Amino acid sequence: VAEAHACVEGFFREQGWAEPRSEVYALKHAAKSSGRQSEERDMMPSNKRAAEIMQLSDDDSAFILGRGGKTKQKIAKVSGAQLELHEHNNTIEIIGSEIERRRARKYIELVRAQRVGPVNVEVTHDDGDLTMLVVPHNCVGFV
């Protein structure tokens, strides 16, 4: 991964482009989803399984893993994506369909934001996976 990251940065420098600020560095493992689906459906990006790699800081890597790997497991479960955390180089590989990867990225970003302060979830975060409830201020600590 480090070699791929260096290669991408070198390519951007050669092109005279600003180095990528995005934490997503690679899409790989493109594979068709279930063989039972029609070829036409397999050609749709949302049905294709692929993987992408996000770069994390040391602190974020530990926070995403969580105690006993629980946070990583929860993110994988609710997003539907497979997550592989590589602590030796602080990257997380997200494997799944387009929607599964998008949801996993969103959940990872929300968990990372929790590490540094309060997080406000807005209606704009909705990918069809959001239910918002009004919680009275004096009950917030109990939810």
Side-chain angles (χ1 to χ4, degrees):
V1 174
E3 184 179 317
H5 180 67
C7 181
V8 169
E9 286 181 342
F11 177 75
F12 273 66
R13 278 192 298 273
E14 287 172 9
Q15 300 300 317
W17 299 338
E19 289 187 27
R21 290 179 42 212
S22 172
E23 295 170 318
V24 180
Y25 287 104
L27 276 174
K28 63 179 191 173
H29 303 305
K32 289 186 177 181
S33 53
S34 172
R36 289 176 269 161
Q37 296 175 340
S38 71
E39 284 185 46
E40 185 177 65
R41 285 190 70 189
D42 283 342
M43 298 310 288
M44 294 175 60
S46 61
N47 290 333
K48 283 187 161 186
R49 289 186 57 82
E52 57 190 60
I53 298 171
M54 289 178 69
Q55 185 69 47
L56 304 170
S57 70
D58 288 338
D59 292 335
D60 285 340
S61 185
F63 203 69
I64 294 298
L65 182 60
R67 184 176 297 157
K70 291 291 186 187
T71 303
K72 183 186 92 158
Q73 290 172 1
K74 288 177 185 177
I75 294 171
K77 184 176 182 176
V78 297
S79 68
Q82 178 184 344
L83 301 179
E84 294 179 17
L85 184 62
H86 305 284
E87 293 178 272
H88 63 279
N89 60 3
N90 293 323
T91 59
I92 189 162
E93 188 170 9
I94 306 167
I95 304 160
S97 68
E98 183 178 329
I99 187 75
E100 291 167 342
R101 292 190 322 269
R102 183 173 65 232
R103 287 180 175 169
R105 280 192 312 270
K106 177 178 68 175
Y107 302 149
I108 289 167
E109 290 301 329
L110 289 169
V111 169
R112 289 171 80 184
Q114 285 180 330
R115 190 176 65 76
V116 295
V119 175
N120 293 314
V121 177
E122 305 294 333
V123 175
T124 57
H125 287 103
D126 191 10
D127 275 331
D129 60 345
L130 178 65
T131 301
M132 295 185 77
L133 301 171
V134 176
V135 178
H137 184 62
N138 60 343
C139 297
V140 169
F142 298 105
V143 176

